[in-house]
Amino acid sequence: MTGGQMAPTTLIGQRTATTPWGRNPELGDGWPLKISEMAAMLEGACFVARSSISKPAGVVQTRACIKKAFMKQAEFKGFSLVEVLSPCPTVWQKSAPDAMAWIDSDMTKYFPLGILKER
C-alpha cells in the first residue's frame, strides 16, 4: 500500500486517499478484514499471530513471532501467518510518536495482539 488508499485493515471512520470521508460500510466501503482470525480457522494453519512494532517490546515480540513462523514452516507443520501492525505517519497525518500511540489506542481494539493459533 503506497498511495494512501484504503487497505483491508483500514478502520471504520479512518480517512484515506480513496475514502476521504472515512471508511463507511454503509456507503459500500466494506468492513475491515480480520485476516489473522480468518487464517486461524483454516485446518492447514499451524501458527497465526498478530503483533505490533509500536514499542520496543513489540519489535522484540514481532521478531520472535516471525522466527517461530519460519521454524514451523521449516518443520512442515503447515502454513504460518504473522500480521504486524505498523505505522504510516505520513498518510495518517500524525507524528511518528502519535502514530505509534494510535496503534496502541485504536488499532489494537479492533485487531487484538497475540497468538491466535499454534499447533
Side-chain angles (χ1 to χ4, degrees), residues 50-66 84-85 100 104 113-114:
R50 182 182 294 120
S51 62
S52 168
I53 58 168
S54 63
K55 295 178 181 164
V59 174
V60 172
Q61 180 64 35
T62 298
R63 182 181 184 277
C65 286
I66 292 170
V84 181
L85 303 183
M100 296 296 197
D104 295 333
L113 305 179

Side-chain angles (χ1 to χ4, degrees), residues 36 47-51 62 65-66 69 80-84:
S36 293
F47 183 75
V48 180
R50 182 182 294 120
S51 62
T62 298
C65 286
I66 292 170
S80 298
L81 173 72
V82 179
E83 180 180 13
V84 181

Side-chain angles (χ1 to χ4, degrees), residues 71-109:
M71 295 302 294
K72 297 279 187 179
Q73 293 290 149
E75 296 167 357
F76 302 104
K77 302 274 185 178
F79 80 88
S80 298
L81 173 72
V82 179
E83 180 180 13
V84 181
L85 303 183
S86 61
C88 186
T90 303
V91 174
W92 293 352
Q93 298 178 356
K94 298 179 183 310
S95 68
D98 288 346
M100 296 296 197
W102 189 80
I103 290 172
D104 295 333
S105 66
D106 289 63
M107 285 192 80
T108 57
K109 288 179 185 172

Side-chain angles (χ1 to χ4, degrees), residues 1 7 12 22 24 26 37 66-67 69 81 86 97-98 109:
M1 310 301 292
I12 302 299
N24 184 341
E26 294 177 13
E37 283 81 354
I66 292 170
K67 182 178 180 180
L81 173 72
S86 61
D98 288 346
K109 288 179 185 172

Side-chain angles (χ1 to χ4, degrees), residues 5-23:
Q5 69 272 27
M6 184 176 68
T9 54
T10 298
L11 297 176
I12 302 299
Q14 189 175 359
R15 295 171 186 251
T16 70
T18 55
T19 56
W21 51 85
R23 184 179 199 152

